[in-house]
Each structure stands twice: as structure tokens, then as C-alpha cells.
Amino acid sequence: MTDRTTQRRAPATTTPAFTPTAVVASCAGFVLIGALQAFYGPAIPTLREEFGLTPSAAGLALSAHFIGGVVGVLLFDRLYGRTGNRRILGASYLLMALGAAGFALAPAWPLALTAALLAGLGFGGIDYGLNQLFAVGFGHRSAALLNILNAHFGVGAILGPALIGAVGADRHEAVFLGFALANLPLLLCLKGVRDRAPRPGEADADAEPAATPGSPALARSLASVLAVFVALYVLHVGIEAGVGGWEPTHLEAVGYGAGIAATATSVYWLMMTAGRFLVAPLALRFSAPAIITVSCAGMTVCLLLAAVPALAPYAYAGVGLFIAPIFPTGLPWLHRAAPRARRAGAVVIAASMVGGVAAGPALGKVIEWSGTQAVPLLLATLSATCLAATLWLTRVTRSAGP
């Protein structure tokens, strides 16, 4: 990595986007959305028994959640800047609460799917809304705070299955109802959110300069820059989901027991969460392109090492550590690189959700042809593509001037 150019420590001249209390509440909100996404999987056996479902039918709950999430992202984007941030975030928390309660109490499977879709709408609103506001609301600290915010998503994703396990999958209704109630106190903290969104760089005079009309970023086709950002996000989320979904299968195929494979996968998710906390102070010192370049390079090396059976569990843990900063660190970079593309953040976040959903079936088809042991090499190819995209974006979006 290379150090940023020395930054001027001028004080902010505008109202902060979040008060400290609102920052803490936002992190709690991300714990909740991480837990919500993780609740559905452990509940599937009970759902199948309760509603008489096939495995594929039971899996539709998570699909409905993600469809709602994509719609929620796009809907929030339509309202962003037109309706107050507090009102939109409040509506998103309420939608999550109503959807979770409806899922717990639904007497029939179609109603449960409708409730999962409703909860997904709120999920998408919180995911996009807080990521968007953190990306533009903290100036040079945005990347650091975004990593901390998204690390709390991982905390929720780890705690969610543990909570289902502690309470019992046969009592998942109580977990979903408790989740619904947990959303309500966060509504009281929304008064600490700035109601009108700051423009990129407005919240902090130390923010890195956005591209100017004469800069290389705008000399190139804006569509090309956005397309490469979308590709970076789709591919890296596909890798994230691919490792999470296929690591146990690959480890068992190369000789590890089911228990070790499951533990190694948990360590992968834990390392991703830890990586976001660890990179937060680095994001104050190093540029987003430098961090993401190192992340993609390290991720590629680790995936290649995962092809060696003796190293595979440790290499997958390394993948979790290196992939961690990409999603949150890239958002402020995107806003600086394409300041005139108001919907850029919504496009890449929605695309990343689609990538996460499509990764499992797409990788499954390729693995049917190539074999399970090729999993790390297939993912390494995608990772190398992420690295190439990052290097291209670094060159194209570098601001003019010394």
C-alpha cells in the first residue's frame, strides 16, 4: 500500500450526518439485518415439517428475502434526497419488524413468503440507506466507519444461527417475534440522523476530492466506470457466497471430516467480520484503491493456496480476512469516482445482492462439469478478475493533479 497524500485537518463546517448515539444505533441495526438473513437457514427443517415443504420450496423464504432486499434498495434510492432520511429509515425498520412478526405468525406458506418479502424490503432499505449515508456523511473517515458498520452485519450473521440453536429451531417463531420487537427501540435513535443527505465530501473538509470535469474519471465513459464497479461488486460477493456455500463440500472432498469442514466455514465468516474491524484504522491512513488492491491480491493468493489440501482450511480463513474490506471500502471510492451518478450506490448494492443469490446455482453448474476439487481454482479466477478490475479503476479514477 502507499500512503495517502497528507490530509489537512480542517474542522467540519456542516451538521454531522450522525450523532454518536445514532452511529451506535446504526451498528445495532446492522447486527439485526445480519441476524435476519441468517435466521432462515437454521429454521428450514422446522418450516418443512410445519408446512409440508420440499427443500427447494423451503428455500424460497431466503429467495423472497433477497428479492425484497433488491426492491428495498431501489425503492430507497428513488426516495433518497426527496424524503427525509429519518422517515425512510424508520419505515424500513417498521417493515422489517412487521415482516418478521408476520413470518412468525403466518398460518400458511404463501403468507409466510409474503412476510419474508416484506421483511426483505426493510432489510434492503436499511442496508442501502445506512451504507449510502455513511459513504457520504463522514468525509475521510467514511471508509473506516463503513468497515465498522458492515462488521456488525457479520456479528449478527454469527449470532443469528447461534440464537436459533439456543432457543431451538422448533421455536423459531419466538426468535422472529423477538427480532421484530428489537427493531422498535432503534426508531427512537433516528433523531440523531441528519434528515437531509449531505453531498459527497460535504460532511468533512478532509474528504478526498471528488473527480473534477477535467479528471481522467470523467474523461472516460461514466458508464464504463460504473460497469467495472458493478462487476467488482458482483464478483467479490459471488466469491464471498461461493466460499461460504462450497467450502464445506470442498474440504470434505479432499479428506476433512464434516465437523472440521463446518468449523472451518464458521472461522471464514468470523475472519471476515474481524477483518472489517481491523481495517478500520488502516482506512484512515491508506487510500481505498490501495486497500482494495491488496485485498484482491491477498484473496487470490489464498484461494490458490486453498487448492492444496493441507493448507485449505487456513487459506479459506485468509480469504475471509482479505475479502472483508472490499464492500465497505469501495463505496466512498465509488462516490468520489462518479459524483454525478446519483444512483451509483444503489446500482452496485442491488447488483451485489443479485450476485450473492446467483453465485450458488452458477457455481453449482460449473462444479458439475469440473468437479468439487476445482472450487478454489474457479473462485481464484474470479478473484483475479476482481484484481484486474481494481487496477483498471485505480488508473482511470485517479484525480488529476499532483
Side-chain angles (χ1 to χ4, degrees):
M1 295 185 193
T2 57
D3 284 310
R4 285 181 177 168
T5 56
T6 303
Q7 296 173 335
R8 297 184 303 275
R9 299 298 180 206
T13 57
T14 59
T15 304
F18 292 80
T19 64
T21 299
V23 171
V24 173
S26 298
C27 290
F30 259 58
V31 172
L32 289 181
I33 66 172
L36 176 62
Q37 181 173 313
F39 281 156
Y40 294 103
I44 281 178
T46 304
L47 293 171
R48 289 185 60 195
E49 182 178 347
E50 180 180 350
F51 294 107
L53 304 172
T54 64
S56 59
L60 288 176
L62 191 57
S63 297
H65 168 82
F66 275 112
I67 291 170
V70 173
V71 175
V73 169
L74 299 177
L75 180 60
F76 193 116
D77 179 63
R78 293 290 297 179
L79 298 174
Y80 182 69
R82 301 179 184 181
T83 304
N85 296 322
R86 297 170 197 156
R87 182 177 299 176
I88 303 175
L89 291 172
S92 297
Y93 282 124
L94 286 174
L95 284 170
M96 280 208 301
L98 290 172
F103 190 82
L105 301 174
W109 185 235
L111 292 176
L113 289 180
T114 302
L117 183 70
L118 192 66
L121 279 172
F123 171 96
I126 296 300
D127 188 18
Y128 170 67
L130 291 179
N131 271 311
Q132 173 77 6
L133 293 173
F134 271 58
V136 302
F138 292 97
H140 79 283
R141 297 176 296 155
S142 285
L145 286 166
L146 273 167
N147 274 282
I148 292 173
L149 179 71
N150 282 273
H152 283 84
F153 182 97
V155 171
I158 293 168
L159 292 179
L163 183 59
I164 291 277
V167 174
D170 58 335
R171 299 184 62 193
H172 70 274
E173 296 94 342
V175 175
F176 276 91
L177 286 173
F179 171 89
L181 293 174
N183 280 271
L184 302 182
L186 298 181
L187 298 174
L188 302 176
C189 301
L190 292 178
K191 62 183 179 181
V193 179
R194 182 174 168 182
D195 208 33
R196 292 295 169 183
R199 296 180 182 275
E202 177 188 325
D204 194 330
D206 285 343
E208 291 183 30
T212 59
S215 68
L218 297 182
R220 298 290 187 103
S221 167
L222 181 60
S224 297
V225 172
L226 291 179
V228 177
F229 265 110
V230 167
L232 173 63
Y233 269 72
V234 170
L235 290 174
H236 102 268
V237 171
I239 294 166
E240 175 186 313
V243 173
W246 286 98
E247 178 183 355
T249 303
H250 172 247
L251 291 178
E252 290 184 44
V254 297
Y256 290 93
I260 294 176
T263 300
T265 305
S266 297
V267 170
Y268 161 75
W269 291 113
L270 182 63
M271 291 296 285
M272 184 183 301
T273 301
R276 286 173 174 166
F277 282 117
L278 291 172
V279 85
L282 298 178
L284 296 174
R285 182 177 179 185
F286 299 103
S287 69
I291 290 173
I292 295 177
T293 298
V294 171
S295 295
C296 291
M299 182 170 63
T300 304
V301 170
C302 287
L303 285 167
L304 291 173
L305 292 175
V308 181
L311 300 177
Y314 311 101
Y316 281 126
V319 174
L321 189 66
F322 280 110
I323 202 172
I326 297 177
F327 186 100
T329 306
L331 290 176
W333 182 18
L334 171 64
H335 283 288
R336 291 193 302 271
R340 295 181 178 178
R342 188 184 66 80
R343 295 182 177 172
V347 170
V348 298
I349 292 175
S352 70
M353 288 184 178
V354 173
V357 174
L363 281 171
K365 287 295 183 183
V366 177
I367 289 167
E368 286 177 7
W369 171 74
S370 60
T372 304
Q373 296 191 23
V375 166
L377 297 179
L378 291 171
L379 295 174
T381 302
L382 299 181
S383 183
T385 307
C386 287
L387 178 58
T390 301
L391 294 174
W392 186 88
L393 287 169
T394 299
R395 177 173 58 85
V396 170
T397 63
R398 186 176 293 119
S399 297

